[in-house]
Amino acid sequence: MPEPRVLILRAPGTNCDRETAFAFETAGARCEVLHVNRVLESPGVLDRFQILCIPGGFSYGDDVAAGRILANQMQHHLADAIARFKDDGKLILGICNGFQALLKSGVLLTSDGQRGPAATLTWNDSGRYEDRWVRLRADGSRCVFLQGIDRMYLPVAHAEGKFVPRDAAALAELDAAGQVALRYVPLDGATPADPSAALPFPDNPNGSPGNVAGVCDPTGRVLGLMPHPERHIDPTHHPRWTRADASPAGDGLALFANAVAYFTGAAVG
Amino acid sequence: MLWEVDIYTAPGQTDRLAATVAGEAADAGMNGRLGVRAARGYLIQGDFSPADLDRIAGELLADAVVERTVVAPVGDDRLSQPPEPAARLIHVLPKPGVTDPVAQSAQAAIADFGLAVEAVRTFKKYWITGLADDQVAPLCAKILANDAIEQVILGPLAFDRLGVGSAYAFARVTVPMAAMDDAALVRLGREGQLFLSVEEMRTIQAHFRDLGRDPTDVELETLAQTWSEHCSHKTLAGRIRYQGPDVSRQFDNMLRETIFAATQKIRREAGADDWCVSVFSDNAGVVRFDEQYNVCFKVETHNHPSALEPYGGANTGIGGVIRDPMGTGLGARPVCNTDVFCFAPPDTPVDAVPQGVLHPRRVMKGVVAGVRDYGNRMGIPTVNGAVFFDPRYLGNPLVYCGNVGTIPRDKSFKEPKPGDLVVAMGGRTGRDGIHGATFSSAELTHESDELSGGAVQIGNAITEKMLLDVLMEAQARGLYHAVTDCGAGGFSSAVGEMGEKIGAEVWLDRVPLKYEGLSYAEIWISEAQERMVLAVAPDKWDELSALCASEGVEATAIGRFVPTGRLELKYHDQQVADLSMAFLHDGRPPVVREAVYAPPPARPLAPPAKDCQGYTDSLLAILGSLNVASKHWMIRQYDHEVQGGSVVKPLTGAANDGPSDAAVLRPVLENRRGIVIACGMNPRYGDLDTYHMAASAIDEALRNAVAVGADPARTAILDNFCWGNTDRPETLGSLVRAAVACYDVATALGTPFISGKDSLNNEFRPEGADEPIAIPPSLLISALGQVDDVARCVTMDLKQAGNAVFLVGQTKNELGGSHFALVEGLDGGSVPTVDPALARRTFVAVHRAIHAGAVRACHDLSEGGLAVAVAEMAFAGGLGARIELDDVPATDDARHAAVLLFSESNTRFLCEVPPERAEAFRAALDDLPCACIGQVIAEATLEIVHAGEHAIRCDLTTLKKTWQRPLDW
């Protein structure tokens, strides 16, 4: 199969669209960056693509709440088109603000009519926006994007990245289903005995219960994550590349390569 | 009907807003025992059913997992049920007409439900217990609200509709000035907030007398704005008779004969290798980057607005400077921001803050939040900056904001054509910032917040981001001939400048307004944010208009460039202004100023002799001083990696927390070529001699850039002068002296100035005081460097035990203005000087060594000298160092341990060099002053030895903690 086509969806205030497209193209995909208005005008445009990516930024200023307004637009106008996209076996990725929009629109985790949404993303415990690097442990058992990935070192840059489940049971269900695809782990590289035991700041940069950094849907084909894989696709992105700590390719590139390989069948390694 | 939605945190969730208020009240010494419960809320006007409102609240406004709502019509009892008995209810709302971005977005999002919504406004609601009656007003004024933009309502809300503005009835206003005497002219200028001198008023009077008519209000406003200090830089570009300590000189145009002249000389000497593209002519200075792109840089200040409303002032400061590259040539793409702030110390006692002045801690938090929220939302990394603290910035904080952009080489120049439409793009026009240009040129008084509240604005970053998105597309498609930003002076400045060589007519009634009721004059001079003006050929207008509409950006043809040489303003076909462009731009009488400068008499500084404990304590005191201390609290709140080109981050080292000398990034992701952003500033030296202050600032900016790998031969600089009242000859003299230094040092280094800006009259007069408090002379030099291949860059953290530590440059007995003098309370001493010829060779040599791969770490020596530099390198790298002061290259009078440790002599670097590269390193340095002064050691200790004895000995954890603690907020 030829290289997959990626729709990078941009809304007013989206600002990671160009580097996210660059990351996908570096991994071998073909990208088109489209304004959300074009997709709202003709939702059928989604049919031309194999991968839908909602990149980082501040869609609609994150006014009201991060990702909320874009999420509502998706719910109101694109629910059918996105459902079809998922049913067709395609991939959806939300990074940072994209994660917020995917979660709040119900595309990522289904809402329970009685008990409400399974989870939300809200203000960091620190109460402020922060840009810092975190260590992550991936669970690729279910998630297509994280196949074969164990650890990643990536930056987070957000104010509203604390993943709050509706209750402990909701988190346990996600965990049991293999949907907690990414967790923060200690910055010193230690492997905690219990990955869901609360880590202190800044290992866990926002206070997410269970150290959740990213979740996937039950199919493993929809992933939302707070860290920015597109900001670590070059050795010089690593904050300590001058100390020779960096890897030849940035840790984040494998995630994009996995998405491409899902369609081309090429081995990632 | 008007509905209210109150949103509280759900049980078990942290009420952050309440905690902030309680914490700030305690910090301010007002009340440490407040009980606070807070809600954010929305007022929503429209014909809704209760079910509609529940849906809006549940699906849009509140988060069902972490929040709970109370929804009811305004005035309903449910909205005023206190969570605790006897809690006071206080509401804070933006004043009518103040930009409320969340309300705008919420309104559009409610409409997306298919509901008809008339208006929305946000508010905050506080329930407070433990508050005495007499504490209510101070709490509201100092913590809860800023009167410049917000209103406080005690108790339940009681109004039943949201309305702003009422219809405007046109009336042409003329100002009968023909018969006015000087006193009347002065009164007219003051009452109209024109801030023109009496000579200027007389010139205008004579001009209209010759025309046989009186000016209209908008003609006067246009002249006042165009002739303002802010827009015309009339003082520094004016005639100055200067008497310095050893020279007297007559300038016809001071800036042109110093700063600009340096660049012209450098460009002439470069000949065919000239890499400057457009300097001191466009909104930003432009230099060549690679085969495809040029790169441009502009730094502006937003001082007076930030003094009154720190969040809004800084917010619109960064928003404004981003529009400078966007408005350069045919539009540059912004790639990074810089920010430099000057504040009074945040621990200033509350009762030492005069009336009308905000506490510096509040100023600082507001300013940082303002830059953060705008820069982050724009998706532009904020990568470099500095913060200086001095009590003289109390009433007059400084906020410098910079922006760098890339622009295709063939889009670097603009030329509006006769017949082009004048197109306004972006935000709507409101009463925001009326009189910003003239106000920013005036001294602040304790009444300023009442007099000039209209000059304060709040930005909406997303409006600007949307504007940027369509502008870049329109630029690529070639849909316009020229673009500029609406900054100070609004349309008046933008259209007046763009049409200077042609002429323009403007149809003010067509300008889209935020609300009704603006007069034609208000429309013309409004400084509403997020607007740009384009010159569009009529045959491209449909395409541009459609492009804008497709992304929800408003674009309106509001006039036409016509070859009349006149500026004509119309309102529904009524002519309200008709000015000749020649009079507008060249009619201002020259400003003639006297300037004198005599440096304070030299006073020796005898450094105290101390033992190891004593010098170690001095080092810790400097590391923990506010100027030197870690700024991670600010840096981490800025997205410094968005756009994906980050190479050297502001914080670096083994734990990502050491202080980088400069930032490096790749603005074009396909390319390995990088830009380097650095700055230099030291107001403390200005108290001793502004010549050497300026020379040192240039040297510092250059060495910061060179320290990470920038090629000094491809580094350009910018000047930003913030000074006191230059009507005083001594104050102007200190500025002229600095400008002369700029010429001398820039030409000797071959480093061109490409852009600059000045902000004068930075003084504050407290109530009842005779003398205003002037800021110290504050010259910021910003540097824009380049590197061929970012893989050759280095950072400042020590890398490997066993490597040698070389000191490059000569140490002199220069403790004057140093941080050692500051922490020890010492006066006098020699201010650091620059030997520019030696500096040029040194920069080239250090660059050569870095480029050759001989350097593993490099750090410049600045505040705190050698001791601070090596301490920072050590704790950033997590490796110790052992240093021998006896090996330091120094002048004979600099052999004192305190001088060797803490002198701030310029043009010095510390370089970590692996043993096997030492030969190559020495070869690159040639005969320049340079010596191996020690080694990197595995033990986590800094040891500095002088004459066989320890002068400093300290573990790295103590050093680092001391450096991180003061601003670890």
Side-chain angles (χ1 to χ4, degrees):
Chain A
M1 186 173 174
E3 67 265 36
R5 295 174 61 98
V6 185
L7 166 57
I8 310 273
L9 184 69
R10 111 183 130 83
T14 298
N15 61 34
C16 300
D17 44 322
R18 287 159 56 87
E19 60 268 40
T20 303
F22 185 76
F24 266 115
E25 291 190 341
T26 304
R30 281 171 63 196
C31 293
E32 218 173 302
V33 180
L34 278 184
H35 195 282
V36 64
N37 288 356
R38 303 293 80 71
V39 182
L40 293 174
E41 283 159 10
S42 40
V45 74
L46 280 172
D47 297 340
R48 290 201 277 122
F49 300 91
Q50 284 80 49
I51 301 171
L52 167 65
C53 176
I54 308 179
F58 291 79
S59 56
Y60 299 96
D62 281 357
D63 296 339
V64 182
R68 175 84 258 173
I69 293 177
L70 178 59
N72 279 21
Q73 287 187 321
M74 290 162 62
Q75 266 178 331
H76 293 169
H77 308 291
L78 301 177
D80 292 346
I82 290 176
R84 198 167 61 240
F85 197 85
K86 278 167 72 173
D87 292 346
D88 286 349
K90 296 174 175 180
L91 302 184
I92 301 178
L93 175 65
I95 302 169
C96 195
N97 196 236
F99 180 20
Q100 292 159 339
L102 284 183
L103 186 65
K104 293 177 184 182
S105 64
V107 171
L108 190 50
L109 305 178
T110 43
S111 186
D112 179 310
Q114 291 298 307
R115 297 177 297 169
T120 191
L121 285 157
T122 188
W123 277 85
N124 300 347
D125 277 354
S126 67
R128 61 180 178 243
Y129 186 101
E130 282 212 321
D131 178 343
R132 59 171 63 247
W133 284 65
V134 294
R135 288 203 180 276
L136 299 156
R137 178 89 188 253
D139 176 357
S141 61
R142 183 169 294 275
C143 179
V144 168
F145 293 91
L146 299 173
Q147 299 284 310
I149 298 175
D150 178 31
R151 298 290 190 115
M152 286 196 289
Y153 187 49
L154 299 177
V156 290
H158 60 247
E160 298 176 56
K162 179 179 176 179
F163 181 87
V164 180
R166 180 179 58 227
D167 49 34
L171 182 56
E173 279 172 38
L174 291 174
D175 205 353
Q179 289 178 251
V180 180
L182 275 177
R183 287 183 203 273
Y184 303 108
V185 293
L187 287 163
D188 64 11
T191 302
D194 175 6
S196 60
L199 284 174
F201 178 87
D203 291 340
N204 175 339
N206 48 37
S208 290
N211 308 310
V212 178
V215 295
C216 64
D217 80 335
T219 71
R221 287 183 285 101
V222 182
L223 171 67
L225 73 166
M226 286 314 297
H228 284 273
E230 80 284 6
R231 295 187 186 182
H232 192 190
I233 61 163
D234 189 282
T236 63
H237 283 147
H238 192 295
R240 293 187 301 282
W241 69 271
T242 61
R243 301 181 70 81
D245 286 0
S247 47
D251 290 0
L253 193 58
L255 185 152
F256 299 100
N258 273 334
V260 172
Y262 183 72
F263 294 99
T264 60
V268 175
Chain B
M1 186 185 287
L2 188 60
W3 293 79
E4 178 177 334
V5 178
D6 296 346
I7 303 170
Y8 294 91
T9 48
Q13 302 293 327
T14 310
D15 188 345
R16 290 176 307 103
L17 184 56
T20 303
V21 166
E24 289 185 359
D27 276 356
M30 295 177 61
N31 189 326
R33 299 179 312 282
L34 287 186
V36 185
R37 185 86 176 106
R40 58 194 182 88
Y42 296 84
L43 295 169
I44 304 168
Q45 184 174 307
D47 188 15
F48 303 113
S49 70
D52 290 339
L53 252 295
D54 284 341
R55 195 164 165 233
I56 292 169
E59 296 178 21
L60 173 68
L61 301 179
D63 187 311
V65 178
V66 293
E67 292 174 325
R68 297 292 175 266
T69 56
V70 180
V71 181
V74 170
D76 191 287
D77 286 346
R78 280 169 291 175
L79 299 165
S80 47
Q81 297 301 315
E84 306 269 340
R88 280 173 200 276
L89 176 57
I90 301 175
H91 290 91
V92 178
L93 292 79
K95 285 184 172 171
V98 168
T99 303
D100 186 350
V102 175
Q104 287 172 29
S105 293
Q107 185 165 348
I110 293 168
D112 196 54
F113 282 80
L115 297 169
V117 53
E118 292 161 18
V120 177
R121 193 177 302 166
T122 65
F123 64 89
K124 293 193 175 72
K125 181 168 188 159
Y126 302 95
W127 295 96
I128 301 187
T129 53
L131 187 67
D133 286 348
D134 61 357
Q135 289 180 319
V136 174
L139 183 79
C140 291
K142 291 195 191 315
I143 309 286
L144 298 182
N146 185 337
D147 187 52
I149 53 163
E150 290 166 323
Q151 63 186 113
V152 171
I153 294 172
L154 302 177
L157 297 177
F159 40 91
D160 57 5
R161 56 174 282 109
L162 300 173
V164 180
S166 49
Y168 166 66
F170 174 78
R172 190 169 182 275
V173 178
T174 55
V175 182
M177 69 188 305
M180 285 184 180
D181 60 11
D182 281 0
L185 289 175
V186 167
R187 197 163 54 243
L188 172 64
R190 182 174 163 71
E191 286 170 2
Q193 294 191 47
L194 303 175
F195 295 106
L196 291 172
S197 71
V198 70
E199 294 89 344
E200 290 163 341
M201 293 296 284
R202 277 197 224 112
T203 303
I204 293 170
Q205 186 182 42
H207 177 77
F208 283 95
R209 218 182 258 146
D210 289 349
L211 294 177
R213 66 177 177 94
D214 278 318
T216 63
D217 55 349
V218 75
E219 286 175 328
L220 260 187
E221 293 276 10
T222 303
L223 288 161
Q225 173 273 311
T226 308
W227 293 4
S228 69
E229 187 67 61
H230 189 92
C231 294
S232 76
H233 304 277
K234 56 194 172 190
T235 300
L236 301 191
R239 294 183 195 162
I240 296 175
R241 190 160 56 224
Y242 171 62
Q243 180 63 54
D246 40 18
V247 61
S248 72
R249 212 171 142 182
Q250 174 79 44
F251 294 98
D252 282 332
N253 179 325
M254 200 277 293
L255 283 179
R256 187 163 295 160
E257 292 162 48
T258 54
I259 310 265
F260 304 177
T263 302
Q264 285 172 332
K265 181 165 190 276
I266 292 164
R267 295 186 73 177
R268 261 196 320 273
E269 286 170 2
D273 294 329
D274 175 24
W275 50 282
C276 291
V277 176
S278 161
V279 294
F280 293 107
S281 52
D282 210 332
N283 288 315
V286 186
V287 298
R288 199 152 35 166
F289 178 64
D290 66 7
E291 292 308 308
Q292 263 187 298
Y293 291 98
N294 291 324
V295 59
C296 63
F297 194 5
K298 177 62 171 280
V299 178
E300 281 267 18
T301 53
H302 223 215
N303 305 333
H304 292 185
S306 302
L308 298 180
E309 211 305 283
Y311 181 86
N315 196 249
T316 53
I318 190 76
V321 82
I322 292 166
R323 291 193 303 277
D324 279 321
M326 284 169 66
T328 294
L330 290 171
R333 176 183 294 282
V335 298
C336 65
N337 294 326
T338 65
D339 60 347
V340 173
F341 308 135
C342 300
F343 302 123
D347 53 0
T348 303
V350 174
D351 52 14
V353 177
Q355 190 194 342
V357 171
L358 301 175
H359 191 275
R361 196 177 169 96
R362 185 174 181 191
V363 173
M364 190 165 154
K365 286 187 171 178
V367 163
V368 170
V371 170
R372 173 195 68 202
D373 286 354
Y374 211 104
N376 291 355
R377 275 173 173 69
M378 283 299 291
I380 302 169
T382 299
V383 299
N384 184 254
V387 192
F388 294 91
F389 296 91
D390 187 296
R392 289 170 287 179
Y393 295 117
L394 183 59
N396 214 128
L398 303 183
V399 175
Y400 301 83
C401 296
N403 183 266
V404 179
T406 52
I407 185 167
R409 288 181 66 174
D410 61 353
K411 308 263 188 192
S412 297
F413 292 91
K414 67 185 76 170
E415 193 187 351
K417 303 257 180 4
D420 283 353
L421 295 167
V422 178
V423 172
M425 238 166 83
R428 291 189 160 210
T429 298
R431 282 203 181 88
D432 327 48
I434 301 266
H435 287 137
T438 50
F439 161 66
S440 70
S441 309
E443 177 192 302
L444 290 177
T445 70
H446 74 278
E447 292 172 339
S448 297
D449 51 342
E450 293 147 40
L451 186 68
S452 308
V456 174
Q457 308 156 64
I458 298 293
N460 187 345
I462 297 312
T463 305
E464 186 149 308
K465 179 67 167 75
M466 293 165 72
L467 175 58
L468 172 64
D469 290 347
V470 293
L471 186 75
M472 290 296 99
E473 177 65 22
Q475 180 241 57
R477 290 197 217 163
L479 297 184
Y480 53 88
H481 290 142
V483 58
T484 196
D485 70 306
C486 277
F491 289 131
S492 170
S493 171
V495 180
E497 284 174 25
M498 201 185 269
E500 179 180 351
K501 301 283 186 286
I502 305 172
E505 65 172 41
V506 180
W507 316 310
L508 292 170
D509 51 282
R510 300 200 193 174
V511 172
L513 302 179
K514 292 183 178 180
Y515 37 82
E516 284 188 296
L518 271 72
S519 72
Y520 60 84
E522 288 175 316
I523 294 168
W524 182 238
I525 63 166
S526 161
E527 296 183 4
Q529 295 290 308
E530 291 98 25
R531 301 176 304 163
M532 313 252 334
V533 169
L534 288 76
V536 180
D539 64 345
K540 302 283 191 197
W541 168 231
D542 286 348
E543 187 179 350
L544 179 67
S545 179
L547 169 64
C548 290
S550 77
E551 300 204 3
V553 173
E554 216 159 7
T556 313
I558 62 163
R560 189 186 295 276
F561 292 104
V562 285
T564 56
R566 304 198 70 79
L567 178 64
E568 294 180 71
L569 306 182
K570 298 191 169 155
Y571 191 88
H572 289 300
D573 294 331
Q574 301 269 351
Q575 183 135 315
V576 292
D578 180 12
L579 287 167
S580 95
M581 286 287 188
F583 179 68
L584 181 61
H585 291 285
D586 304 317
R588 179 172 55 73
V591 172
V592 183
R593 289 270 192 281
E594 298 289 326
V596 296
Y597 187 77
R603 280 180 302 150
L605 182 156
K610 296 186 177 229
D611 59 9
C612 178
Q613 187 62 52
Y615 285 131
T616 302
D617 287 346
S618 300
L619 170 60
L620 291 170
I622 298 172
L623 285 171
S625 67
L626 290 167
N627 292 345
V628 175
S630 173
K631 307 300 184 299
H632 61 273
W633 170 79
M634 296 183 187
I635 293 168
R636 293 219 177 278
Q637 293 190 64
Y638 303 144
D639 189 343
H640 45 263
E641 296 173 290
V642 64
Q643 299 194 11
S646 173
V647 174
V648 174
K649 304 178 205 304
L651 294 170
T652 193
N656 301 347
D657 58 5
S660 283
D661 287 305
V664 182
L665 57 95
R666 288 183 300 127
V668 182
L669 295 182
E670 295 81 1
N671 195 333
R672 306 309 298 175
R673 191 171 176 82
I675 58 170
V676 177
I677 310 296
C679 65
M681 183 171 181
N682 200 327
R684 287 179 49 75
Y685 300 166
D687 291 335
L688 295 169
D689 192 324
T690 52
Y691 185 96
H692 300 299
M693 176 190 80
S696 298
I698 297 172
D699 191 89
E700 185 184 11
L702 262 288
R703 61 183 195 257
N704 274 325
V706 167
V708 298
D711 179 355
R714 267 299 182 95
T715 301
I717 51 178
L718 282 69
D719 62 277
N720 283 83
F721 289 88
C722 287
W723 241 255
N725 185 349
T726 47
D727 289 349
R728 276 196 306 273
E730 309 77 47
T731 305
L732 183 57
S734 70
L735 192 156
V736 173
R737 184 162 167 86
V740 170
C742 288
Y743 176 86
D744 292 348
V745 177
T747 50
L749 293 176
T751 302
F753 283 97
I754 57 168
S755 173
K757 192 93 189 191
D758 57 82
S759 165
L760 309 180
N761 298 321
N762 286 289
E763 305 203 345
F764 176 79
R765 191 188 301 273
E767 190 181 11
D770 293 336
E771 286 299 311
I773 302 167
I775 62 162
S778 305
L779 170 62
L780 169 67
I781 300 291
S782 306
L784 170 62
Q786 303 187 22
V787 288
D788 293 341
D789 177 359
V790 294
R792 294 189 185 275
C793 289
V794 295
T795 51
M796 50 71 70
D797 45 310
L798 293 181
K799 306 293 192 306
Q800 176 76 51
N803 283 349
V805 176
F806 280 82
L807 176 57
V808 176
Q810 182 91 336
T811 300
K812 295 181 272 188
N813 184 1
E814 295 179 325
L815 285 173
S818 67
H819 270 60
F820 179 72
L822 177 71
V823 301
E824 299 290 334
L826 303 171
D827 280 334
S830 301
V831 68
T833 56
V834 176
D835 175 343
L838 185 68
R840 183 173 190 158
R841 291 182 54 224
T842 304
F843 294 146
V844 169
V846 170
H847 175 64
R848 193 162 49 218
I850 291 173
H851 200 255
V855 178
R856 289 286 282 132
C858 182
H859 195 21
D860 93 306
L861 274 60
S862 54
E863 287 97 338
L866 170 62
V868 165
V870 69
E872 288 176 344
M873 292 177 80
F875 66 63
L879 291 166
R882 188 175 292 122
I883 302 293
E884 288 278 351
L885 290 182
D886 308 80
D887 297 333
V888 168
T891 53
D892 290 343
D893 63 348
R895 286 280 152 211
H896 191 289
V899 176
L900 295 170
L901 288 168
F902 300 115
S903 172
E904 298 182 6
S905 294
N906 286 294
T907 326
R908 294 184 303 158
F909 298 88
L910 277 173
C911 296
E912 177 192 356
V913 179
E916 69 277 13
R917 304 312 309 268
E919 201 62 27
F921 181 78
R922 286 182 195 277
L925 269 293
D926 199 14
D927 63 341
L928 290 161
C930 172
C932 176
I933 61 162
Q935 292 81 40
V936 182
I937 58 175
E939 195 190 337
T941 307
L942 174 64
E943 293 182 42
I944 305 183
V945 176
H946 182 237
E949 306 250 337
H950 273 110
I952 282 178
R953 187 172 196 171
C954 193
D955 67 280
L956 300 189
T957 306
T958 302
L959 292 169
K960 190 184 203 172
K961 286 222 161 99
T962 304
W963 176 74
Q964 286 181 328
R965 196 178 301 124
L967 297 173
D968 189 23
W969 290 1

